[in-house]
Amino acid sequence: MKHATATFAGSAASPSDFPRDGLPEVAFLGRSNVGKSSLLNALAGTRGLARVSSDPGRTRLVNFFRVDGVGKPGGSGRGALYFVDLPGYGYAKASKDVRESFEKLAVSYLAGRAPLRLCVFIVDARHEPNERDALLRDWLDHHGLPYLIAANKVDALPRAEAKRREQALAHGIGATAVGVLGVSAERGAGIDELWNRIRAAAFLPPAAQPREGPLEDENLPSTAQDHEH
Ligand code: GDP
């Protein structure tokens, strides 16, 4: 990134480890293997950012990355925020206890976290959402959390099929959802627009945030611009 810089800020094993500085937070969640690490790296413009989250000791923790120098909407200066990497779910091989501890920590983060401005709920555009995805979406709806569905790996689908999948995902979306965005962490498609949604959620009051449609493009990190097709 030309202006913004992302650095690992620490892992939390319990709510007492969550940051206390009140910076806006954007959480990333999704089934394991949807491309969560790849997407974090694509947003940060660095390959290594989310590698730290896949360290064996950290995959079950909530990992915080501080991003400084993020251009605010409308060119009103720069600010800092956290990317919050929540544990992936749906490990078929994990024991019930392990699965429950993932969920407990993720829920302890998501429920009542004051600085949380947006959840980026990542799904694999190639697959129908499974039962766990549907449960999570219902849970986000029920708790009134603002979330954006990022349908990743659109590069692996014909364009029309990707659009059809995005429309299917948008069907029945809850009132606090901000929409569905097709992205490709590997090819960079949709990354600029995802950044726009993130900066709007982090720095604009909720009433000023558009639910759909592109925002202005200024102050994009250089890597995101480089990716655009
Ligand atoms: P995580 O478990 O959710 O953190 O997923 P990873 O980022 O490790 O990615 C899982 C797999 O999906 C890897 O093989 C990636 O190469 C692949 N992947 C991630 N993003 C994309 C994408 O945008 N397009 C395609 N085709 N594959 C992707």
Side-chain angles (χ1 to χ4, degrees):
M1 289 180 290
K2 195 158 62 183
H3 300 293
T5 51
T7 46
F8 177 58
S11 299
S14 76
S16 59
D17 302 328
F18 296 159
R20 298 205 182 94
D21 52 16
L23 289 177
E25 295 176 1
V26 176
F28 294 79
L29 53 158
R31 215 191 301 174
S32 36
N33 228 33
V34 290
K36 182 156 58 72
S37 313
S38 306
L39 194 60
L40 281 164
N41 287 336
L43 286 165
T46 153
R47 281 182 172 274
L49 179 78
R51 199 170 18 193
V52 59
S53 304
S54 57
D55 285 354
R58 296 193 201 276
T59 52
R60 295 167 198 176
L61 302 176
V62 177
N63 296 303
F64 290 86
F65 299 92
R66 184 177 160 133
V67 192
D68 284 286
V70 178
K72 293 185 178 175
S76 54
R78 296 189 176 276
L81 54 82
Y82 285 111
F83 283 167
V84 184
D85 185 7
L86 292 173
Y89 59 90
Y91 292 97
K93 288 198 190 109
S95 71
K96 191 158 174 275
D97 281 358
V98 168
R99 283 204 304 265
E100 282 173 0
S101 74
F102 285 159
E103 277 162 29
K104 231 165 129 184
L105 184 58
V107 167
S108 73
Y109 172 78
L110 289 167
R113 178 71 184 156
L116 177 61
R117 296 288 187 277
L118 179 69
C119 299
V120 179
F121 179 15
I122 310 157
V123 299
D124 188 327
R126 299 171 306 177
H127 305 307
E128 294 291 332
N130 71 6
E131 201 183 321
R132 304 286 306 286
D133 298 325
L135 278 173
L136 176 57
R137 199 179 112 169
D138 288 351
W139 192 91
L140 294 170
D141 282 334
H142 179 74
H143 286 80
L145 288 168
Y147 68 94
L148 172 72
I149 298 180
N152 190 29
K153 312 194 187 182
V154 288
D155 58 277
L157 293 175
R159 201 170 284 254
E161 179 60 11
K163 281 283 156 235
R164 198 194 62 75
R165 298 284 319 140
E166 285 165 36
Q167 279 161 6
L169 285 164
H171 185 72
I173 208 166
T176 53
V178 293
V180 179
L181 185 65
V183 297
S184 167
E186 284 197 347
R187 302 286 176 82
I191 299 299
D192 289 358
E193 181 57 19
L194 181 54
W195 253 122
N196 282 336
R197 302 299 178 106
I198 288 171
R199 72 180 98 238
F203 300 120
L204 292 178
Q209 292 169 32
R211 268 174 66 87
E212 284 292 5
L215 304 176
E216 82 281 358
D217 267 2
E218 53 199 47
N219 297 330
L220 290 170
S222 55
T223 45
Q225 283 173 329
D226 295 343
H227 281 312
E228 191 58 14
H229 299 276

